[in-house]
Amino acid sequence: MVDDGSKDGSPEICKDFACHDSRFVYVRQGNAGAGFARNHGMDLAHGEFLMFLDADDLFDPAMVETLHARLERDGADVAVCCANGFSGCYDARNAWPVNEGARMPAGVYSPSEFADSFYQSVTSCPWDKMFRASFVRDYGLRYQTLRYSNDSFFVLMALLLARRVVWTDEVLVHYRVGQGGSLRDKMYLNPLCDLDMFDMLRKAVSESSLAVRSRLMQSLDDWTIDILLAGYATLASQSVEACGRFWEHLKNHCLPAWEEVAGRPLSTNSLKRKLKLWALTKSSPKGMAWAVEPFGKNGLRAASPAQWRRLYLRLVVAPLVGDGAIHGQ
């Protein structure tokens, strides 16, 4: 139990568990973030398997047993389950599928079997997965010590490097939304985290043999565009100044660096993503802030397709609004 600088009664609760059950080990550290705490926990762990669950979600009582059985039966490095989402008190009748588009049919796969759509078929969430510890250590996989987006590199590289990944279609995670107070709600405090994550991820992927043999980089480009536009819009709803730092770093550092690594600029064959790429690279921070204003702070975090269409229309007319609303477009 790694205590990341808690300020409540957590130390007493953890110490009580450790006193009554020798399987529990309590370690306290100064607040350094989830990535650092998870790395610290992995360094101390002696088990054969690793899971990283979030405290505000609900998990099926058979989740650990089920994923462990799949790993052992199929000799896989990673096991993945399905999840549904809920708000308030959990009721299966009112829950909805999470990341339904990024869901593989139940079975065992190697990354090369779905490389062309890799980033559209997997999620960067750790809480719906179990990892074989020896596999993680053999590849030296670590969480980034970013304030948010610290889990994406670890999870996606694990899935990419795995010899075998087993998927089950059982819903074993109930993902809680709408609680507020998440790190994403305070992106403006550390606006470059997504960009720092992509810097490391895109370099690592470009160096993989799988990227050379498949359309993996195109799949990564598409996912990059999706994630960064969502982050750009969210930042614009929180702080124009932070949004500006994000945009300038993206244009002046990231896009040139990514073009050099991949041997070509960030691109997409999808008409929908071409619109997203235009919005990401051509809409100024003040223009984006004006466009997201009707949706409220963080209002596009779980936006419907209709809301995104409205955003694109507002971005098109943003340059025409005039000096009273935006500048520098």
Side-chain angles (χ1 to χ4, degrees):
M1 296 177 288
V2 181
D3 182 343
D4 187 39
S6 65
K7 297 179 180 179
D8 55 12
S10 296
E12 289 71 30
I13 297 172
C14 292
K15 290 174 182 176
D16 185 58
F17 271 100
C19 285
H20 291 89
D21 191 329
S22 60
R23 294 175 299 176
F24 286 88
V25 177
Y26 173 65
V27 180
R28 183 174 174 83
Q29 65 180 35
N31 178 243
F36 192 98
R38 284 167 168 167
N39 288 337
H40 196 173
M42 283 196 292
D43 290 340
L44 298 172
H46 296 291
E48 295 181 38
F49 305 93
L50 298 168
M51 297 184 75
F52 305 92
L53 310 182
D54 289 349
D56 54 346
D57 300 329
L58 300 177
F59 304 93
D60 189 281
M63 180 184 185
V64 176
E65 178 184 8
T66 301
L67 294 183
H68 171 258
R70 297 293 191 277
L71 283 176
E72 293 290 77
R73 183 192 69 187
D74 298 308
D77 294 317
V78 185
V80 187
C81 68
C82 293
N84 59 16
F86 73 100
S87 180
C89 295
Y90 179 69
D91 185 338
R93 295 169 298 180
N94 299 322
W96 58 89
V98 171
N99 296 320
E100 191 169 21
R103 180 179 292 184
M104 296 287 287
V108 184
Y109 303 88
S110 66
S112 60
E113 293 181 72
F114 58 103
D116 287 0
S117 60
F118 184 87
Y119 290 93
Q120 289 68 52
S121 304
V122 302
T123 73
S124 61
C125 306
W127 37 254
D128 60 349
K129 300 172 180 71
M130 178 182 283
F131 305 86
R132 193 176 295 275
S134 60
F135 157 72
V136 170
R137 294 191 175 108
D138 285 347
Y139 281 99
L141 294 173
R142 309 286 285 178
Y143 281 85
Q144 291 179 281
T145 54
L146 305 171
R147 279 296 172 178
Y148 66 88
S149 291
N150 57 72
D151 48 9
S152 295
F153 179 84
F154 176 92
V155 173
L156 294 173
M157 288 307 297
L159 291 169
L160 186 63
L161 294 168
R163 293 162 301 174
R164 296 160 68 85
V165 181
V166 58
W167 261 267
T168 173
D169 53 11
E170 295 180 62
V171 176
L172 302 176
V173 181
H174 311 302
Y175 176 62
R176 191 190 306 269
V177 300
Q179 285 294 96
S182 77
L183 293 174
R184 283 277 169 182
D185 293 337
K186 298 180 180 179
M187 286 177 65
Y188 65 94
L189 296 175
N190 301 275
L192 305 185
C193 286
D194 278 341
L195 300 178
D196 290 343
M197 180 273 290
F198 275 112
D199 272 346
M200 188 171 180
L201 178 65
R202 292 179 67 86
K203 184 176 186 300
V205 171
S206 70
E207 294 172 349
S208 73
S209 59
L210 184 58
V212 176
R213 303 195 310 267
S214 69
R215 295 182 66 254
L216 182 65
M217 284 304 298
Q218 184 58 66
S219 175
L220 178 55
D221 275 2
D222 289 344
W223 188 70
T224 302
I225 293 167
D226 290 343
I227 297 299
L228 290 187
L229 180 61
Y232 187 28
T234 299
L235 270 173
S237 74
Q238 297 177 0
S239 165
V240 177
E241 186 275 332
C243 186
R245 289 173 57 197
F246 172 95
W247 199 54
E248 290 300 323
H249 192 68
L250 173 66
K251 289 198 306 175
N252 298 330
H253 166 74
C254 296
L255 292 179
W258 298 345
E259 181 175 351
E260 183 177 351
V261 164
R264 58 173 177 77
L266 190 68
S267 65
T268 180
N269 297 319
S270 160
L271 289 176
K272 178 180 178 180
R273 290 194 178 94
K274 285 182 179 181
L275 179 58
K276 288 187 174 185
L277 184 59
W278 168 83
L280 179 65
T281 57
K282 302 301 183 183
S283 299
S284 74
K286 288 184 178 180
M288 180 64 76
W290 177 83
V292 302
E293 192 174 18
F295 307 100
K297 187 176 180 180
N298 301 320
L300 288 166
R301 287 277 303 280
S304 66
Q307 287 176 303
W308 279 106
R309 287 194 292 271
R310 185 183 177 196
L311 173 67
Y312 298 143
L313 288 174
R314 289 181 63 84
L315 286 172
V316 169
V317 303
L320 308 177
V321 173
D323 294 340
I326 58 175
H327 301 273
Q329 183 75 344

